[in-house]
Amino acid sequence: MSSIASRRSSGTNSRSQPLACLRCRQKRSFCSKDRPTCLACREKALECIYPEGRKVTVLASYLHDLELRLKRYEAASKSTSAGSTQDQDTSCPRETSEDNIEDKDLEVNPLMEDFATLIVSSSGKPQYLGNSSSTILGRRLRDMIGIVNLDNQAFDIDRESATYNHAALRPRRSPVTRSIRLPPLLIAKRLFSAQFTYIGTIFAFVQPDLFEKQLNQAYRGPPSVDDRDACLSYCQVLLVLAFGQLYSVNQWTNFEGPPGFEYFTHALEFLPDIHEEGSVLFVGVLALVGYFMQNLNRRDAAFLYVGNALRMAISLALHQEVSTPGLDESMKEFRRRVWWSVYSLDRILCVKSGLPVTIQDEDIGVLPPMRLPRESPHCAAVVLSHYTQLSRILGQIMNMIYRKTPKSGSTLMNAVQDIMAALLRWRGTLPKELYFDPAKLSVSRESVSTFLHYYQCINMTVRPLLFHVVQKRLQGGPEDRLQDWRQDMSPTTVKVIETCIDGARDTITMMTIAARKDLVATYGYMDGEHAFSAAVVLVMVCLAFPGTAEDFAAMDAALDLLGVMSERGNAHIAARYQLLIHMRSLMQRPNGGAGAGHIIQSTIEPLDSGSCEVPPLLIDDTALEKMLDDNVTADELDFWEEGYMNPDFDVNYDLSQWTQTAQETLGDAAI
């Protein structure tokens, strides 16, 4: 027990005066009834000083921002208070509110502030500096001493000095040698709607009310390459058109690249150099460039562009609340939405590529995205908020499951339990408007995008353990593979693995229904990743377990999805599809027939085929209830530890090696 806790338990603390005087706080010692003066005071024969309070001078705008932040925080807390209450461990003793206040008073870091600190750059625009900066320390010392006259430039340490000729560091961009013909204005607006349907509700890089102005300006002609802001605006218009064409044409058109590729390459000619002045618009443009690169299967370029977007966002303090009189609440909210959009995109690309998480949640102080008063109750910000929560859980998965740190079986079980509990809370706060409803797909597929993200979180949490079970069964004999896979498995392991399998089936169910309405992106990175990830899980089940007819039907539906994307021209998906088809040819069907080795013909009905029967989703609000049993054996803990020992293999499947292993163990018996 700490010394503070010991004094509390002995009842020697005085509640009539503060626990520590001013000198005590400097020396980190304490006053009490038994010791009326502290060591620091006794050394100098002084009495302890207890200030009644401390007066500070702040701007009225700062107080106004605090009031707004408090109101938004209270509104956000109401929606999560029920779930948070359930997570509290009531078995542990709680300190009184007075104790907590005194602890915070003692442990407060005087160099930390709730709002981000902005300094004025050499160009006159604000830039962010964190609390660890020496410049911030010097500024606070200056303010504490009372030096307020900044007419003397030597005292103005906030403003950067002009240390170089800015004209010499001009953009090294080559002159634009070609022009591109923009589509008719009505078509351009349809392309904007197409990209908004797929990514506009989960990534808020473009302001819909501002885009029409940008579009009208673009039709007046391309900007001068020396006008950075105009180039950024024009670049963003071309990127939106590129995404819109990618999602609306949705199939191969020429040998140059996927639909929208011409708009994309032309947009790059207007992209400012990375050393130029940052802006919120610049952050969004970099993020869109990175995401289109990911759709081209350029993971390295996507990682660099999105990483630059994230770093630029940090340099602009988008990850913190700011107190700037020139920013109204609408602009502050847009900053928040841009931050959480680039945060989600960066986290998804990092985790799904097996790369370390770029920024930890503990370093983020900005409020979550929220609906403005003028916006409808079910607006894009609501979707963005719930999508962002899943991205945060995805970071939890990366840190607790895939990070290379020693893990015991009990630690892994608790980690999985915590992640599943977080997903359960997420489902509990989801508005009904975001539940999957095929009838709404003609208007938006935001529910599909959101739930695919949700099922992917389940998939990535459990699939190392699933793969471990599959690997054990493939290494056994044919008789072993005919046994029920649940045999000798604890209810905990069975429940966790079944949740992963059900999540894969639900993924394919939703995507199949969306595909009937032509709402699966042939070249979309997210859609391809979700479909392939679910297909791999279902192939593993049918390959190593005694698969049922329902298992094979789900696997065939998953391969159908990949087959359609392949037939429409996605060569990256085609390679993965052919490999999974080869694996399917090694399997023994439930009726005794071997799997066919030919290309599957699409069974997805066209858009005008009428209504279809929708199978119920397997994971409901109660499916993620407590999974861990109290009586977990040591063997079970060892099994989990083995399964999660090397999860890097699971992030990027070594499918060729896996196929070779399966063929060696199953080959002659299956074919």
Side-chain angles (χ1 to χ4, degrees):
M1 183 179 293
S2 66
S3 58
I4 299 177
S6 299
R7 278 190 289 273
R8 284 205 182 109
S9 62
S10 61
T12 58
N13 282 344
S14 171
R15 297 303 182 192
S16 62
Q17 62 183 13
L19 187 62
C21 70
L22 292 179
R23 296 186 184 90
C24 285
R25 297 182 188 188
Q26 295 175 357
K27 296 293 185 178
R28 306 299 294 172
S29 56
F30 306 95
C31 306
S32 67
K33 287 183 177 179
D34 299 332
R35 192 178 64 188
T37 57
C38 62
L39 179 62
C41 297
R42 284 203 307 271
E43 288 176 350
K44 298 183 179 180
L46 300 173
E47 293 184 0
C48 295
I49 301 174
Y50 298 101
E52 294 297 328
R54 185 165 62 102
K55 294 183 179 180
V56 295
T57 303
V58 297
L59 295 174
S61 60
Y62 180 78
L63 291 177
H64 179 65
D65 285 333
L66 284 176
E67 291 174 355
L68 290 176
R69 185 181 181 191
L70 178 60
K71 291 178 181 179
R72 294 170 67 89
Y73 176 79
E74 290 175 344
S77 299
K78 289 180 181 179
S79 63
T80 58
S81 59
S84 300
T85 303
Q86 295 176 357
D87 294 337
Q88 294 178 355
D89 185 3
T90 56
S91 63
C92 298
R94 293 284 189 261
E95 297 182 82
T96 65
S97 59
E98 186 178 359
D99 290 339
N100 291 336
I101 293 174
E102 289 180 352
D103 279 350
K104 292 179 180 178
D105 193 38
L106 287 171
E107 298 173 2
V108 66
N109 185 342
L111 296 181
M112 298 294 290
E113 290 185 350
D114 292 335
F115 283 83
T117 303
L118 300 180
I119 68 169
V120 180
S121 68
S122 56
S123 65
K125 294 188 176 182
Q127 290 183 336
Y128 168 71
L129 277 182
N131 292 303
S132 62
S133 167
S134 298
T135 300
I136 298 302
L137 177 62
R139 187 174 86 164
R140 293 179 183 169
L141 178 61
R142 178 200 67 192
D143 298 342
M144 182 181 68
I145 293 174
I147 301 177
V148 296
N149 184 7
L150 299 182
D151 293 335
N152 187 339
Q153 294 294 321
F155 296 154
D156 189 6
I157 62 175
D158 290 357
R159 184 174 295 277
E160 293 181 347
S161 303
T163 57
Y164 64 94
N165 179 8
H166 286 256
L169 196 61
R170 61 185 182 274
R172 304 300 182 186
R173 200 182 306 112
S174 302
V176 178
T177 57
R178 63 189 180 93
S179 60
I180 189 169
R181 186 175 181 179
L182 298 179
L185 185 59
L186 182 60
I187 299 299
K189 292 181 178 181
R190 289 179 181 175
L191 295 180
F192 171 81
S193 298
Q195 68 83 31
F196 188 82
T197 295
Y198 280 87
I199 62 175
T201 56
I202 59 176
F203 300 136
F205 297 124
V206 182
Q207 291 178 283
D209 53 350
L210 180 62
F211 180 75
E212 188 166 355
K213 297 178 181 178
Q214 294 176 297
L215 189 61
N216 292 331
Q217 181 63 38
Y219 277 95
R220 298 188 181 101
S224 169
V225 294
D226 296 325
D227 190 338
R228 186 209 58 174
D229 290 339
C231 285
L232 279 171
S233 179
Y234 191 74
C235 183
Q236 187 178 65
V237 168
L238 293 178
L239 289 170
V240 168
L241 297 180
F243 277 104
Q245 199 172 79
L246 181 81
Y247 293 134
S248 56
V249 176
N250 214 17
Q251 64 182 14
W252 181 89
T253 54
N254 59 62
F255 291 99
E256 291 293 326
F261 185 71
E262 185 178 5
Y263 288 127
F264 175 71
T265 56
H266 197 66
L268 293 181
E269 297 190 27
F270 291 91
L271 183 66
D273 292 324
I274 195 64
H275 65 257
E276 297 187 51
E277 195 79 45
S279 66
V280 179
L281 176 59
F282 205 165
V283 171
V285 168
L286 286 172
L288 287 174
V289 170
Y291 189 50
F292 202 94
M293 286 288 188
Q294 187 68 66
N295 291 339
L296 297 176
N297 196 32
R298 285 294 309 275
R299 292 186 179 182
D300 52 348
F303 181 67
L304 293 176
Y305 275 107
V306 175
N308 281 330
L310 187 74
R311 285 181 174 271
M312 184 177 290
I314 293 173
S315 72
L316 297 171
L318 298 191
H319 68 307
Q320 300 287 351
E321 289 296 318
V322 296
S323 177
T324 304
L327 294 178
D328 59 15
E329 188 59 27
S330 178
M331 187 58 198
K332 289 180 181 179
E333 178 59 29
F334 180 64
R335 286 168 55 91
R336 298 179 188 115
R337 294 178 187 182
V338 171
W339 165 257
W340 289 116
S341 297
V342 72
Y343 165 92
S344 277
L345 185 56
D346 175 78
R347 181 146 294 185
I348 290 168
L349 296 187
C350 285
V351 172
K352 292 187 178 180
S353 299
L355 302 172
V357 171
T358 306
I359 185 170
Q360 297 296 327
D361 291 340
E362 293 78 8
D363 298 322
I364 301 172
V366 69
L367 293 171
M370 290 187 182
R371 180 177 64 89
L372 292 171
R374 58 180 171 81
E375 295 178 315
S376 62
H378 181 65
C379 61
V382 177
V383 184
L384 173 63
S385 176
H386 290 279
Y387 196 87
T388 299
Q389 293 172 31
L390 289 175
S391 298
R392 298 184 72 132
I393 295 175
L394 198 61
Q396 185 181 356
I397 294 169
M398 191 65 184
N399 289 331
M400 299 175 71
I401 301 297
Y402 291 95
R403 175 174 283 180
K404 287 187 174 181
T405 54
K407 306 179 185 72
S408 65
S410 59
T411 300
L412 289 164
M413 278 191 170
N414 289 329
V416 171
Q417 175 66 31
D418 290 344
I419 293 169
M420 292 300 182
L423 291 171
L424 178 61
R425 289 194 300 271
W426 179 87
R427 279 292 294 262
T429 61
L430 196 67
K432 296 296 183 182
E433 292 82 1
L434 262 180
Y435 276 36
F436 176 68
D437 184 356
K440 295 180 180 179
L441 288 180
S442 58
V443 179
S444 173
R445 57 158 266 166
E446 58 192 21
S447 63
V448 175
S449 299
T450 304
F451 269 92
L452 289 180
H453 198 18
Y454 164 71
Y455 290 128
Q456 185 72 349
C457 288
I458 296 175
N459 186 313
M460 295 199 67
T461 301
V462 182
R463 69 189 192 190
L465 185 64
L466 171 62
F467 181 82
H468 186 53
V469 175
V470 170
Q471 190 176 42
K472 289 285 188 182
R473 292 180 67 83
L474 289 179
Q475 291 172 349
E479 296 81 8
D480 296 331
R481 290 191 295 275
L482 293 177
Q483 299 296 323
D484 187 350
W485 67 273
R486 301 172 186 83
Q487 185 176 342
D488 299 328
M489 293 276 183
S490 73
T492 297
T493 304
V494 171
K495 181 65 175 178
V496 168
I497 292 177
E498 286 180 339
T499 301
C500 180
I501 298 172
D502 291 344
R505 289 184 180 180
D506 285 351
T507 294
I508 299 305
T509 297
M510 289 195 308
M511 294 191 72
T512 299
I513 295 170
R516 292 194 181 103
K517 298 180 179 294
D518 200 26
L519 283 175
V520 170
T522 296
Y523 294 94
Y525 164 71
M526 297 289 192
D527 283 3
E529 175 70 18
H530 293 316
F532 175 70
S533 182
V536 170
V537 169
L538 296 172
V539 167
M540 282 198 290
V541 170
C542 293
L543 186 66
F545 299 174
T548 64
E550 291 77 13
D551 293 330
F552 276 87
M555 178 190 66
D556 287 346
L559 295 178
D560 279 347
L561 277 171
L562 297 177
V564 170
M565 298 175 78
S566 172
E567 292 167 3
R568 289 185 172 184
N570 190 326
H572 176 64
I573 290 296
R576 297 182 168 199
Y577 169 67
Q578 292 290 349
L579 189 53
L580 293 181
I581 283 293
H582 178 64
M583 292 182 184
R584 198 190 74 151
S585 69
L586 304 175
M587 301 175 189
Q588 190 76 24
R589 291 264 176 182
N591 59 5
H598 57 76
I599 302 296
I600 295 179
Q601 298 299 317
S602 174
T603 60
I604 297 177
E605 301 175 15
L607 180 61
D608 58 353
S609 62
S611 61
C612 59
E613 182 180 354
V614 181
L617 298 183
L618 300 172
I619 298 183
D620 56 19
D621 290 343
T622 62
L624 299 181
E625 295 288 353
K626 181 175 175 62
M627 294 180 176
L628 301 186
D629 298 326
D630 296 331
N631 300 320
V632 179
T633 65
D635 290 341
E636 190 73 10
L637 295 176
D638 291 341
F639 187 82
W640 276 59
E641 190 171 342
E642 291 175 5
Y644 286 96
M645 185 180 300
N646 186 21
D648 276 354
F649 176 86
D650 189 72
V651 176
N652 287 308
Y653 288 110
D654 188 352
L655 291 177
S656 59
Q657 180 180 355
W658 185 26
T659 306
Q660 182 179 358
T661 302
Q663 192 161 6
E664 290 175 353
T665 57
L666 296 177
D668 296 336
I671 297 178

